[in-house]
Amino acid sequence: MSFGNIVVIVPMHKIEEKDIALMTESYNSVVECRKLYSDGKLIVKYVVPKELTGKIEDFSKDKEDCGYLVNEGQTDFCSQINFAVKNLVNEFKYFSILEYDDTYRAKWFKMASDYYYSNENVSVFLPVNIIHNGNGDQWQYGNELPLAGSFSKKIGFIDFECLENCSTFNLTGGIISSEDFIAVGGFKPSIKIAFNYELLLRMTKKELGVMIVPKEGYVHTIGREGSLTDIYMKTIPNEEIPKWFELANREYKYQEDRNKGISKAKAEEVK
């Protein structure tokens, strides 16, 4: 048993000239991973709105095991991933999300596969993240806390209880079961900022395994101009951020996206 072929999903809502170099660097990181991963193929699929078809076709046409999906629905991050997984679940048991301004470490998929053999029932394998800002001059680790003793019930795993004390886990770069992702309802696009956290609450409440592989596997950029974190920082006031996590703590109980939002949630509380 192994992961087999893994599809790397890259959501794109725009492609400008300045994005091409970042897209090339992130794609090349998959190429480096292919040299060491021997359990199957790593297939890259970009997800784009219809108006970007020409641009992504030009970018992907000369690249090995690289293609794209055209999404004519909502093109926010969560909707793009949900669309891709639903369309690819019959071809790929596992998927990984690559943000186009991030990169994998060359050994990541090989290292993760070494841990798969005794953890076949785990639904999500997450790497330790190396996080830096857009300038690359501030570094920190992410996803590493469960590797410390007493953080969770089982060292190296995220459980429901430990999520009460930590909400900052990142799912991009991870290797995720396509069937389990769909079975719990996927991402909820209406939940801003806290959508990773809300999904983890839903998965761990159902006792699906979420494991941190004790290896550096993914380089994650935050705050780059035009990125999702940059958009959130510019459009969501600081005082609203805790409210989104409070909403996640209420909405994880529901598999479907109820489109509540923090204003609707507050109104319901008043009632």
Side-chain angles (χ1 to χ4, degrees):
M1 294 288 292
S2 67
F3 289 123
N5 296 340
I6 300 172
V7 60
V8 176
I9 299 170
V10 189
M12 304 290 303
H13 66 283
K14 65 176 182 63
I15 300 177
E16 299 176 359
E17 188 62 34
K18 63 182 180 179
D19 299 322
I20 300 299
L22 293 170
M23 292 170 65
T24 301
E25 185 177 4
S26 62
Y27 171 79
N28 285 342
S29 76
V30 180
V31 174
E32 293 302 308
C33 288
R34 288 172 180 160
K35 296 175 182 179
L36 299 172
Y37 181 69
S38 58
D39 288 341
K41 291 185 176 182
L42 300 176
I43 309 296
V44 178
K45 292 284 188 180
Y46 292 88
V47 191
V48 299
K50 187 174 182 180
E51 61 268 22
L52 295 183
T53 303
K55 288 184 177 181
I56 199 61
E57 189 172 71
D58 288 343
F59 178 82
S60 62
K61 63 182 178 182
D62 296 324
K63 294 177 173 60
E64 182 181 357
D65 290 325
C66 181
Y68 61 91
L69 299 173
V70 176
N71 176 17
E72 297 190 42
Q74 297 297 312
T75 56
D76 60 90
F77 180 91
C78 294
S79 296
Q80 293 275 61
I81 300 302
N82 290 345
F83 171 83
V85 177
K86 287 178 182 177
N87 278 274
L88 298 169
V89 62
N90 292 329
E91 296 179 62
F92 300 96
K93 288 175 58 180
Y94 290 91
F95 71 94
S96 184
I97 305 168
L98 174 62
E99 297 182 54
Y100 78 90
D101 55 352
D102 291 348
T103 56
Y104 293 108
R105 289 297 205 193
K107 295 182 180 180
W108 164 236
F109 291 96
K110 170 62 173 66
M111 293 187 299
S113 68
D114 292 340
Y115 284 83
Y116 177 85
Y117 295 108
S118 57
N119 297 284
E120 291 90 347
N121 294 326
V122 170
S123 299
V124 181
F125 295 80
L126 296 178
V128 173
N129 281 190
I130 302 169
I131 303 174
H132 65 85
N133 63 3
N135 299 321
D137 57 5
Q138 293 181 12
W139 298 79
Q140 65 187 67
Y141 282 116
N143 291 349
E144 82 288 358
L145 288 175
L147 300 174
S150 75
F151 181 81
S152 54
K153 292 179 181 178
K154 184 178 180 181
I155 191 167
F157 283 78
I158 297 173
D159 56 44
F160 185 80
E161 288 72 20
C162 78
L163 289 170
E164 295 178 349
N165 301 311
C166 182
S167 59
T168 58
F169 297 106
N170 180 41
L171 292 176
T172 53
I175 301 170
I176 304 170
S177 165
S178 301
E179 289 187 357
D180 290 344
F181 178 83
I182 291 173
V184 300
F187 283 126
K188 292 181 180 176
S190 69
I191 296 183
K192 311 305 180 187
I193 299 181
F195 58 85
N196 277 329
Y197 178 57
E198 192 275 339
L199 177 62
L200 286 173
L201 286 170
R202 240 181 307 138
M203 296 188 85
T204 55
K205 188 64 175 178
K206 293 180 179 295
E207 298 187 348
L208 296 176
V210 181
M211 179 183 184
I212 307 296
V213 176
K215 304 290 182 181
E216 297 177 3
Y218 190 75
V219 181
H220 182 47
T221 304
I222 59 173
R224 181 190 57 77
E225 184 177 357
S227 67
L228 185 60
T229 51
D230 177 59
I231 292 170
Y232 281 156
M233 285 189 290
K234 291 178 178 177
T235 59
I236 298 178
N238 287 336
E239 62 270 19
E240 288 188 1
I241 293 174
K243 296 177 182 179
W244 286 107
F245 285 90
E246 291 167 6
L247 179 66
N249 267 296
R250 291 189 291 270
E251 288 300 307
Y252 78 83
K253 301 169 187 175
Y254 306 95
Q255 180 166 308
E256 73 278 9
D257 188 347
R258 302 197 306 158
N259 295 294
K260 290 299 178 183
I262 55 175
S263 59
K264 292 180 182 179
K266 185 175 181 179
E268 285 191 351
E269 286 180 355
V270 172
K271 291 179 183 178

